[in-house]
Amino acid sequence: MGLYNKYILPTLIDFACKQNPAMRQREKVIPLATGKVLEIGIGSGLNLPLYNIENVKHLTAIDPSKKLWHKNIIDTKNLPFEFEFIEAFAENIPADNSSFDTVVITYTLCSISDTNKALEEIRRVLKQNGKLIFCEHGKAPDRGIQKWQDMINPLWKQVGGGCNLNRNIPLIIEANGFKMNTMETMYIPGWKPVSFNYWGTAHPS
């Protein structure tokens, strides 16, 4: 899987993440970011044009895949806010305690190996009055779809770079020291086992 993960997978992930239904979901949450922002799993930078330039002062973005980041087509030197990219994993964020006003995570919790550790790190670097903004796909509410998700997930995870179809996103967030401010759910257009979305904001509890 080495050549696949290195050369083919980043292209597949970028293609899937830039589809219109997912982009419309991003548009619902990214403008909510304010102040000093950390984006977890920036990928190829699809969220960059969606930030509210009047509200964001500085954006730090991390991702473990430089291959995926290099697919970015935006000139980050011309962004209307300060920007830095760091190659790093969510389980070990290179930042001081209480560094950020907002943490953004979109379509990334599905593939993080240790979500408990990642959210512990997010809570550590987020200010006490800060907010977590999320948009993720995950466990569907319908039992028939859940069965498909559970059945397909082992193979999907192998070919999808660790992506899980059946994670209970709100349960994971709330079990790791956060309380929901707002959350909405729906099936977005697409194949149902991968199209049930959760999005909203949460704060450290």
Side-chain angles (χ1 to χ4, degrees):
M1 295 289 283
L3 292 176
Y4 171 82
N5 287 337
K6 187 174 182 180
Y7 296 107
I8 299 174
L9 183 60
T11 299
L12 292 178
I13 292 174
D14 184 49
F15 175 78
C17 288
K18 65 173 54 170
Q19 297 306 299
N20 285 337
M23 291 304 299
R24 287 195 291 271
Q25 291 299 101
R26 297 173 189 274
E27 291 170 1
K28 296 176 182 179
V29 297
I30 299 304
L32 302 175
T34 58
K36 191 175 179 183
V37 181
L38 170 67
E39 181 172 339
I40 305 287
I42 193 172
S44 61
L46 297 175
N47 290 334
L48 287 176
L50 306 177
Y51 283 98
N52 187 324
I53 62 175
E54 295 180 358
N55 293 338
V56 175
K57 296 178 180 178
H58 185 282
L59 174 62
T60 300
I62 67 170
D63 199 284
S65 174
K66 270 193 174 179
K67 285 281 184 183
L68 191 50
W69 169 242
H70 286 160
K71 293 184 176 295
N72 169 48
I73 60 172
I74 294 173
D75 184 359
T76 56
K77 293 179 181 178
N78 290 326
L79 288 170
F81 44 77
E82 295 181 40
F83 175 83
E84 65 174 330
F85 170 81
I86 303 173
E87 185 178 15
F89 288 87
E91 296 93 334
N92 188 19
I93 299 172
D96 295 332
N97 296 350
S98 304
S99 296
F100 298 98
D101 301 293
T102 307
V103 174
V104 172
I105 187 163
T106 59
Y107 300 113
T108 299
L109 275 175
C110 62
S111 58
I112 291 175
S113 297
D114 189 342
T115 54
N116 294 339
K117 178 61 177 173
L119 283 160
E120 178 186 329
E121 278 288 274
I122 290 171
R123 198 171 69 251
R124 178 184 66 80
V125 301
L126 190 61
K127 294 177 181 178
Q128 186 58 40
N129 62 346
K131 61 186 173 184
L132 170 65
I133 296 172
F134 63 93
C135 179
E136 300 285 341
H137 72 89
K139 185 178 180 179
D142 304 294
R143 289 196 174 186
I145 303 300
Q146 289 176 15
K147 289 180 180 179
W148 277 104
Q149 288 178 321
D150 293 341
M151 182 173 64
I152 298 167
N153 197 66
L155 177 60
W156 183 270
K157 186 176 178 180
Q158 281 192 352
V159 301
C163 174
N164 289 271
L165 296 173
N166 55 359
R167 284 186 171 170
N168 189 326
I169 298 302
L171 180 63
I172 291 171
I173 292 173
E174 291 182 319
N176 285 281
F178 286 90
K179 184 176 181 179
M180 294 294 178
N181 297 324
T182 62
M183 190 184 74
E184 298 183 65
T185 64
M186 68 177 287
Y187 285 103
I188 64 173
W191 185 46
K192 279 200 167 182
V194 75
S195 66
F196 190 73
N197 273 217
Y198 304 83
W199 71 97
T201 66
H203 66 271
S205 57

